[in-house]
Amino acid sequence: MLCRLLVISALLLGAAVVSAKDPTFDQPPHNYWQRPLQDRFTHLKEDVEAGRVVLDGGGEKSFLLSLLHALDVPATSQMLVFSTTSLQLRLITPANPRALFFNEDVYVGYIPGGRIEIVSIDPALGGIYYIFDIPRGTQPIHAERSNRCMNCHAAEDTGFVPGLVIKSVIPGIRGGSLDSFRHEETGHGVPFKERFGGWYLTGAKNFEPNLGNTVGQFSGEELTRYPIEPGTRFDYARYPMANSDVLPQLLHEHQIGFVNRAVAATYHTRTQLAKGALDDVAVTELDTRAREFTRYLLFADEVPLPAGGVVGEPSYKADFLRTRRADAQGASLKDFDLQTRLFRNRCSYMIYSVAFSGLPPEFKQRVYRRIGQALDVQHPDPEYAYLPTAEKQTIHRILRATLTDLPASW
């Protein structure tokens, strides 16, 4: 019987592995705790403390909404989690789920009656973790970086670099986790049957059977699962939205896989560069990582959507598309497909994120070269035969129009 308490901040996870010979994240050349921070929440914290930004202290929900607005995180990205996979596990139940919100660079956790949790991505360091009490009235915010988050966010699941964690478990009726799935795996390649455990899930009837909306109980060695309907054990009015839609959860999964692969590549490349000139072994390792990263970026192993596809909440889709970057013909990497796959043009919009912009040039340029080879229609790479010629040409055109640091060969 597997019945262990999984303490993580389900804001988030990664699948990339850092070599055992690499130094730990808090040692040179990384110096996680000493480097100046460049993440979005740290900048907002400075603005709030200086009085340049004022957040609403009128109540839990009003503060949350003002914080999300200040971070440009859409409230419509709301996902509800009732598994006790958080530092604040004593507060989380099916009757008081934890809400998660995100954009490309910031992840926010909120529990009614609890504290605010933040994972903010720094281009050089990966995840920066904060947890703080919700201020009342004119009280100041006391947001301090959290050491305890590193127990899970810089452990096996993230390859021992500061990344993002997501868990899928069967929660027990009285708390704890009775079974767990997709260990140390993240991203759009994880089978749907292994996702969503411990999460409320709406708008996903065609994903059934799935692990969402379920608690469990052991009778002897047999685990019995019981359904729980979203909104029947708690009041949606305590949260910004009255749903926990499947579309944000699918994009959240993709982003976490992307961020963790980027953070692992950043740390590994920095380690190699600190040793001096790259030898043949280091070059081979970087080339291999760049190939694997490019495959992820181009959705090579994306799990197809179930029959009927995904509808998605219109309000979230509108918020997501608000930041789309288009070429002269109006095409964008954020354009949805949602019939058989997530996106019409299969190159990740996360190429515009700080996780990608922070990649060392020695690695990023390798990725760009690999993308160029993958999109070459004159000399097709069999590895990317799943991309039709027209789609390759569209992706190439979008990237040329929206990125400024592509190699001259492009």
Side-chain angles (χ1 to χ4, degrees):
M1 178 189 303
L2 178 60
C3 185
R4 57 193 178 96
L5 188 63
L6 300 168
V7 182
I8 54 102
S9 174
L11 286 167
L12 326 152
L13 166 117
V17 176
V18 173
S19 170
K21 66 184 179 183
D22 287 350
T24 56
F25 65 92
D26 58 348
Q27 297 176 1
H30 311 301
N31 302 318
Y32 178 81
W33 297 106
Q34 288 76 43
R35 283 185 182 240
L37 299 180
Q38 299 298 325
D39 66 286
R40 186 178 297 191
F41 179 77
T42 297
H43 289 320
L44 175 63
K45 175 176 177 289
E46 293 168 353
D47 287 340
V48 170
E49 291 172 346
R52 293 186 292 268
V53 173
V54 178
L55 301 177
D56 189 340
E60 287 189 349
K61 187 173 175 181
S62 59
F63 176 83
L64 171 65
L65 288 170
S66 68
L67 175 65
L68 294 176
H69 178 75
L71 290 169
D72 199 24
V73 172
T76 55
S77 66
Q78 175 179 291
M79 304 171 291
L80 299 178
V81 193
F82 56 88
S83 60
T84 54
T85 47
S86 166
L87 288 178
Q88 301 184 80
L89 57 95
R90 66 180 182 83
L91 298 176
I92 303 171
T93 69
N96 196 50
R98 180 170 176 247
L100 304 176
F101 309 87
F102 66 100
N103 61 20
E104 285 87 332
D105 302 321
V106 184
Y107 303 79
V108 179
Y110 161 75
I111 306 170
R115 310 178 77 193
I116 295 290
E117 302 163 336
I118 301 285
V119 181
S120 187
I121 305 302
D122 181 279
L125 297 173
I128 307 299
Y129 312 95
Y130 289 91
I131 185 168
F132 57 92
D133 294 324
I134 297 176
R136 306 298 182 187
T138 59
Q139 290 178 344
I141 295 176
H142 296 289
E144 302 296 337
R145 292 177 68 180
S146 172
N147 290 322
R148 294 178 61 198
C149 291
M150 311 308 292
N151 293 335
C152 294
H153 281 277
E156 291 88 350
D157 281 339
T158 63
F160 298 95
V161 295
L164 308 176
V165 180
I166 187 171
K167 291 292 186 181
S168 179
V169 305
I170 301 298
I173 292 177
R174 296 178 178 83
S177 300
L178 307 181
D179 204 351
S180 61
F181 306 86
R182 40 89 57 84
H183 304 144
E184 299 179 25
E185 293 184 41
T186 186
H188 52 240
V190 176
F192 294 129
K193 67 180 181 179
E194 297 180 8
R195 304 190 203 179
F196 311 127
W199 299 66
Y200 280 121
L201 195 61
T202 61
K205 294 296 185 183
N206 55 335
F207 282 76
E208 301 205 359
N210 65 68
L211 300 174
N213 305 330
T214 299
V215 294
Q217 187 173 29
F218 272 108
S219 177
E221 293 296 315
E222 183 176 352
L223 175 60
T224 302
R225 292 168 52 191
Y226 301 94
I228 53 174
E229 287 299 315
T232 58
R233 301 194 181 190
F234 64 92
D235 186 355
Y236 272 126
R238 302 185 72 186
Y239 300 88
M241 306 298 297
N243 58 59
S244 184
D245 188 47
V246 65
L247 181 57
Q249 300 198 39
L250 296 176
L251 299 188
H252 180 246
E253 180 78 54
H254 166 70
Q255 288 192 194
I256 291 175
F258 187 101
V259 168
N260 283 331
R261 286 163 172 81
V263 173
T266 294
Y267 275 77
H268 179 77
T269 305
R270 192 159 54 222
T271 297
Q272 296 301 322
L273 294 174
K275 298 174 183 177
L278 298 175
D279 59 21
D280 291 344
V281 173
V283 167
T284 299
E285 288 181 357
L286 290 181
D287 287 343
T288 299
R289 282 177 175 268
R291 173 181 175 270
E292 294 172 351
F293 188 88
T294 302
R295 284 181 55 82
Y296 189 85
L297 190 148
L298 295 178
F299 291 90
D301 301 306
E302 179 184 12
V303 175
L305 296 177
V310 172
V311 176
E313 288 289 337
S315 57
Y316 176 66
K317 291 163 76 173
D319 282 337
F320 179 78
L321 293 171
R322 180 171 50 83
T323 57
R324 67 192 295 274
R325 304 186 189 187
D327 66 9
Q329 298 185 30
S332 166
L333 299 184
K334 281 195 165 187
D335 294 341
F336 287 118
D337 177 84
L338 300 186
Q339 298 302 309
T340 61
R341 60 183 189 258
L342 285 174
F343 294 102
R344 184 182 307 161
N345 304 304
R346 282 169 286 183
C347 178
S348 178
Y349 61 92
M350 291 292 287
I351 203 168
Y352 308 125
S353 68
V354 298
F356 187 85
S357 68
L359 289 171
E362 292 81 0
F363 186 80
K364 186 191 293 186
Q365 292 303 309
R366 281 177 163 80
V367 173
Y368 279 154
R369 287 195 293 272
R370 292 291 304 178
I371 296 173
Q373 293 165 6
L375 300 180
D376 188 343
V377 298
Q378 299 300 322
H379 306 89
D381 185 339
E383 190 170 3
Y384 297 95
Y386 65 94
L387 294 173
T389 296
E391 187 178 348
K392 289 181 179 180
Q393 292 172 328
T394 299
I395 294 170
H396 190 276
R397 190 178 68 240
I398 294 170
L399 295 178
R400 283 286 302 271
T402 58
L403 294 173
T404 60
D405 59 348
L406 292 169
S409 60
W410 273 64

